[in-house]
Amino acid sequence: MNIIDRYILRAHVGPFIFGSSIVIFLFLMQFVIRAIDELVGKGLDVWVIIQLIILNLSWMAVLAIPIGVLFSTLMAFGNMAAAHEVTIIKASGGSLIRMMLPVILAGAILTTGLFWFNDRVLPEANHQAKILMSDIKRKKPTFSLESGRFSSDLDGYTILTRQVDSLTGDLFGVTIYDHRKVNMLNVVSADTGQVKFNNDFTKLVLTLFDGEIHQMEPGGVKSYRVIDFKKHIISIPASGFSFERTDEDVMSRGDREMRIADMRKITVDSDKKSDEATGRINLELQEHFGYLSGMPDTSKQKIINFGDIKMPKLTEKEILTRVNKRLGFLRSKIQSDLYQENEYTRRSRQYEVEIQKKYAIPFACLVFVFVGCPLGIITKGGNFGISAAITLGFYIIYWVCLIGGEKLADRGFLSPVFSMWLGNIVIAVMGIILTLRVSNETFSISLPGLIRKLFRR
């Protein structure tokens, strides 16, 4: 690697880090806004929130790195073109392909590393993030009492506190309605009180002073009684207020939480079961057709060659009788097998889409090199605005192809391989055209002129 190669690679490092960080930041803000309702007001430890963010940074990095590659190549080669360094290198006997070679090698290394990360690290991070988010959703908001307001956070109880001292936590004018028993009225009122959780947050302990307990059982007014007390302690079950972590083996894994080898086993098994269901349908149709036609002992035959069998003549009434007796059973059996066949095919297609996505997204790191380098030279887009605009345009094109292809593949309109690689194919074709044109023609050309040349016959 000569000094020019090192210079070109150094010119890419800063824009790559900056571009990838910007995209990750945008994804992070979107995630925080979407999850803010689940995080705020539950008394979560700061470390739990940090863990959730770190785990979700994995999928953000996978999506951001290819965009960072495109942004860095646009910035680096745009700066070189604006400073006439590209012209100097070409005048010295260099070529565009030679200038791109170190970037292509770096893109190949990034592709390999991102594929390893996508297959080994990302599934585990997604699984841990799903478990952690499920635990957060299960946790109830932090219990609090407000002056003059009813609280029904505890199952079976309604608590009214007329005044709460925010400094000491003391309660004044406390009334507790016990709804656990439908056929019994139980109301506790006290002048003052204190509230706290036990050590493991499984119970809420209310200590009340100077109050009364009003109880009335199904007997009506005759069974009504009032109990005075100086001090009364109530222990109320309060499950769900503590943050509890779920064992990772308890929750099943989805397609985005599995490695390629694991998903490949599922696709092979699903294809096998789908073929078995298809075979059962064909066999059932053959057996029942033989029965309706009057052939003896067809249920034990796996393959029936109707050309070698002489069909007995049946009257129309006999045929209708056979049809009425067997048609319901035949329809329900075939419908069951058809449902299984469709379900196994759908599952196989879903996992195959995810497998191809794990290959396609890392490969975009290499594809974007062939777009960013010539485009940077053509537009001399060394400034942030032009590079960001071009990056955004290709980002939209690529992700429309990827997301649209995924939806079409899941519905069975396109094959998983073609749908997931469609974005790479489109960008690669554009990159090859741009690279060849810039390599063989002048570097100085306007963006409208580029568009005209691309579509010039």
Side-chain angles (χ1 to χ4, degrees), residues 195-215:
V195 60
K196 65 178 182 179
F197 283 97
N198 63 349
N199 294 332
D200 57 359
F201 284 84
T202 58
K203 292 183 178 181
L204 183 73
V205 180
L206 279 164
T207 304
L208 306 177
F209 303 94
D210 299 323
E212 299 176 338
I213 302 175
H214 297 258
Q215 292 181 341

Side-chain angles (χ1 to χ4, degrees), residues 137-290:
K137 289 181 178 180
R138 192 171 60 251
K139 185 183 183 303
K140 296 179 180 179
T142 303
F143 181 78
S144 62
L145 294 173
E146 299 181 19
S147 299
R149 300 190 66 177
F150 289 92
S151 173
S152 301
D153 293 337
L154 301 172
D155 295 336
Y157 292 89
T158 300
I159 301 176
L160 171 64
T161 304
R162 289 161 181 82
Q163 184 179 352
V164 179
D165 191 327
S166 58
L167 297 178
T168 63
D170 292 337
L171 311 177
F172 300 92
V174 183
T175 303
I176 302 174
Y177 301 89
D178 187 350
H179 307 297
R180 292 175 301 168
K181 297 181 180 179
V182 179
N183 57 355
M184 180 177 180
L185 175 65
N186 193 4
V187 180
V188 181
S189 60
D191 293 339
T192 59
Q194 295 177 341
V195 60
K196 65 178 182 179
F197 283 97
N198 63 349
N199 294 332
D200 57 359
F201 284 84
T202 58
K203 292 183 178 181
L204 183 73
V205 180
L206 279 164
T207 304
L208 306 177
F209 303 94
D210 299 323
E212 299 176 338
I213 302 175
H214 297 258
Q215 292 181 341
M216 185 171 68
E217 296 181 357
V221 178
K222 296 181 179 179
S223 63
Y224 182 82
R225 60 179 177 175
V226 179
I227 304 173
D228 297 327
F229 63 83
K230 290 293 183 182
K231 181 180 179 180
H232 182 54
I233 298 177
I234 302 176
S235 181
I236 303 175
S239 60
F241 287 94
S242 62
F243 181 73
E244 301 174 356
R245 296 299 300 266
T246 303
D247 187 357
E248 63 180 64
D249 295 330
V250 174
M251 190 170 292
S252 60
R253 291 177 179 260
D255 54 354
R256 297 186 180 181
E257 304 158 48
M258 302 174 68
R259 295 176 54 187
I260 291 177
D262 299 326
M263 289 191 289
R264 186 63 70 189
K265 292 178 182 178
I266 293 177
T267 58
V268 171
D269 181 66
S270 298
D271 290 339
K272 181 180 177 182
K273 291 181 178 178
S274 177
D275 293 339
E276 291 175 354
T278 303
R280 288 197 302 269
I281 293 173
N282 294 332
L283 183 60
E284 287 160 5
L285 288 174
Q286 289 180 348
E287 291 175 349
H288 286 280
F289 182 80

Side-chain angles (χ1 to χ4, degrees), residues 383-438:
N383 64 76
F384 175 81
I386 294 177
S387 299
I390 296 175
T391 302
L392 178 61
F394 278 93
Y395 171 84
I396 293 173
I397 293 173
Y398 183 79
W399 289 111
V400 164
C401 293
L402 189 71
I403 297 174
E406 182 178 4
K407 298 296 183 184
L408 292 174
D410 286 338
R411 290 172 172 81
F413 295 109
L414 292 176
S415 70
V417 176
F418 178 76
S419 61
M420 288 297 96
W421 287 89
L422 179 61
N424 286 334
I425 294 172
V426 172
I427 301 298
V429 170
M430 297 174 68
I432 291 172
I433 295 174
L434 287 170
T435 302
L436 292 177
R437 286 193 174 276
V438 173

Side-chain angles (χ1 to χ4, degrees), residues 63-128:
L63 301 180
I65 288 177
I67 305 303
V69 170
L70 177 58
F71 182 79
S72 65
T73 53
L74 283 166
M75 287 286 290
F77 276 81
N79 280 325
M80 291 173 62
H84 303 289
E85 293 172 344
V86 173
T87 305
I88 295 172
I89 294 174
K90 187 179 181 183
S92 303
S95 64
L96 175 61
I97 301 299
R98 182 62 187 85
M99 286 185 285
M100 290 173 58
L101 185 59
V103 187
I104 293 172
L105 293 176
I109 293 173
L110 270 178
T111 297
T112 304
L114 191 60
F115 170 73
W116 176 86
F117 183 88
N118 213 7
D119 186 39
R120 299 297 183 92
V121 179
L122 182 61
E124 190 63 31
N126 286 341
H127 186 59
Q128 296 294 337

